[in-house]
């Protein structure tokens, strides 16, 4: 292995409290810390943990976010190539919707450097906690909103649906407040093929400053999604519309008795005499 290494860590969503002890140790011990975080307080705190900490370039003059992400990757690699043990910190989980984090690890390994990623707390983890959603119950599907539309992702409306980056639908550039009305109408129209207009959806924003601020949990009928106020960090949660029916033949094949309790509101919660 060459001298120089890369460790990518996540700072979580909420200030300070979401950083794991492992991530903190890597930040403190690194020869160089680079970061891409969503708020100035975390940036300041990272500098207090390690005086080398420096923000990754975030050049909004680029036409596309992708170009900015390439610049971030290059900056990380430039430090590693100098033989430094570099720690790159991204907000949330560093491997969730974080192209430059994955790209930097891949590139570093290709060039013969040691590179690793530590998990962090993502917005989806916060959503599970704040909305009381257990993905083990009805399953959970998670898509980037633009990808969901342009690839006509197949999904199951009887299972939970999470759509990321809804404030950026159809936008490969940078966030513009209120600039997504047209795209949100299209997203709503597509969702409306599977859910009725009155189906409640939730525009969710985890609190960064918890416990000072509560999360934003805005429940609206699907039809009102386009006019719902949201910021850059909004994530959409679409609850399951109705329970999936149970395949009795499969129950039999699995040797499970057909003692199934259907509850009106939670019919996917069922029990067998075999107790799952
Ligand atoms: C570039 S991704 C970064 C995700 C981040 N790495 C993570 O682990 O959550 C940005 C998207 O994450 C989601 N997100 C980020 N911060 C959030 C927050 N405070 N509340 C809800 N969703 C958030 C939104 O869907 C947003 O558009």
């Amino acid at each position: 292995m060459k001298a120089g290494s890369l460790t990518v860590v996540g700072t979580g969503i909420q200030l300070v409290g979401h950083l794991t002890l492992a991530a903190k140790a890597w930040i403190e011990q690194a020869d160089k810390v680079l970061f891409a975080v969503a708020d100035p307080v975390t940036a300041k705190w990272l500098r207090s943990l390690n005086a080398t900490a420096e923000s990754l370039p975030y050049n909004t003059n680029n036409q596309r976010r992708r170009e900015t992400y390439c610049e971030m990757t290059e900056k990380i690699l430039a430090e590693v190539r100098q033989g430094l043990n570099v720690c790159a910190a991204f907000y949330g989980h560093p491997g969730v919707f974080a192209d430059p984090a994955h790209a930097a690890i891949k590139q570093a390994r290709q060039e013969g450097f040691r590179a690793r990623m530590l998990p962090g707390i993502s917005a989806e983890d916060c959503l599970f906690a704040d909305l009381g959603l257990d993905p083990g119950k009805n399953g959970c599907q998670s898509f980037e909103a633009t990808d969901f539309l342009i690839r006509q992702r197949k999904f199951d409306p009887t299972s939970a649906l999470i759509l990321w980056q809804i404030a950026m639908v159809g936008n490969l550039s940078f966030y513009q407040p209120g600039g997504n009305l047209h795209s949100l109408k299209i997203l709503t129209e597509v969702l409306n093929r599977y859910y009725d207009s009155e189906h409640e959806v939730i525009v969710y924003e985890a609190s960064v400053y918890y416990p000072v601020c509560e999360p934003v949990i805005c429940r609206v009928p699907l039809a009102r999604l386009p006019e719902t106020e949201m910021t850059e960090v909004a994530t959409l949660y679409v609850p399951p519309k109705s329970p999936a029916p149970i395949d009795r033949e499969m129950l039999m094949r699995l040797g499970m008795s057909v003692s199934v309790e259907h509850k009106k509101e939670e019919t996917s919660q069922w029990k067998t005499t075999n107790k799952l």
Side-chain angles (χ1 to χ4, degrees):
M1 281 283 165
K2 287 188 195 168
S5 71
L6 172 62
T7 305
V8 174
V9 302
T11 58
I13 298 295
Q14 283 167 17
L15 279 185
V16 182
H18 278 182
L19 194 78
T20 65
L21 290 175
K24 184 165 178 269
W26 280 104
I27 290 168
E28 285 169 337
Q29 289 165 20
D31 299 325
K32 178 72 187 172
V33 173
L34 295 166
F35 60 81
V37 295
D39 69 282
V41 183
T42 303
K44 193 171 173 196
W45 183 66
L46 289 172
R47 287 192 196 98
S48 76
L49 291 180
N50 187 318
T52 71
E54 184 189 338
S55 175
L56 280 163
Y58 193 74
N59 183 0
T60 52
N61 291 328
N62 284 325
Q63 292 270 304
R64 294 183 165 207
R65 294 199 299 280
R66 185 173 291 276
E67 292 157 31
T68 298
Y69 295 157
C70 287
E71 288 168 7
M72 286 184 174
T73 307
E74 258 321 298
K75 170 70 179 164
I76 295 170
L77 263 295
E79 301 287 350
V80 175
R81 288 180 194 125
Q82 288 186 43
L84 300 177
N85 293 314
V86 176
C87 181
F90 291 83
Y91 86 99
H93 184 305
V96 174
F97 294 82
D99 286 351
H102 285 292
I105 287 191
K106 193 173 166 199
Q107 184 64 31
R109 286 181 181 154
Q110 273 174 6
E111 294 183 22
F113 297 103
R114 183 187 295 275
R116 63 180 82 73
M117 178 183 285
L118 273 58
I121 295 180
S122 72
E124 190 173 84
D125 296 314
C126 298
L127 183 148
F128 292 153
D130 286 332
L131 301 187
L133 167 65
D134 183 343
K137 207 163 169 186
N138 292 298
C140 185
Q141 309 149 98
S142 196
F143 299 98
E144 199 280 331
T146 304
D147 169 90
F148 177 78
L149 290 176
I150 66 176
R151 295 188 194 278
Q152 297 188 298
R153 292 292 180 190
K154 303 281 176 288
F155 74 106
D156 177 357
T158 69
S159 172
L161 175 67
I162 294 174
L163 295 178
W164 297 67
Q165 305 202 139
I166 52 164
M168 305 287 286
V169 180
N171 176 3
L172 298 178
S173 183
F174 296 91
Y175 175 65
Q176 304 251 316
N180 62 339
L181 182 64
H182 175 66
S183 318
L184 277 180
K185 281 184 180 162
I186 295 172
L187 176 63
T188 303
E189 177 203 303
V190 169
L191 290 174
N192 211 184
R193 294 178 197 156
Y194 304 90
Y195 309 89
D196 66 49
S197 320
E198 290 307 305
H199 187 76
E200 183 184 86
V201 299
I202 298 176
V203 175
Y204 169 72
E205 295 178 17
S207 169
V208 175
Y209 299 105
Y210 186 85
V212 179
C213 300
E214 291 295 316
V216 174
I217 299 174
C218 183
R219 297 170 190 273
V220 290
L222 175 59
R224 285 191 34 220
L225 177 63
E227 70 215 47
T228 305
E229 248 183 64
M230 64 182 74
T231 73
E232 189 176 8
V233 297
T235 296
L236 183 69
Y237 169 56
V238 185
K241 69 170 181 184
S242 58
I246 289 165
D247 180 347
R248 282 162 187 269
E249 197 187 317
M250 183 55 75
L251 279 181
M252 305 268 281
R253 284 182 66 194
L254 293 171
M256 300 162 78
S257 305
V258 195
S259 158
V260 181
E261 274 180 23
H262 282 280
K263 288 186 191 168
K264 268 195 183 145
E265 71 285 9
E266 279 187 311
T267 41
S268 69
Q269 252 202 1
W270 52 279
K271 295 175 186 165
T272 68
T273 50
N274 281 356
K275 286 223 164 69
L276 284 179

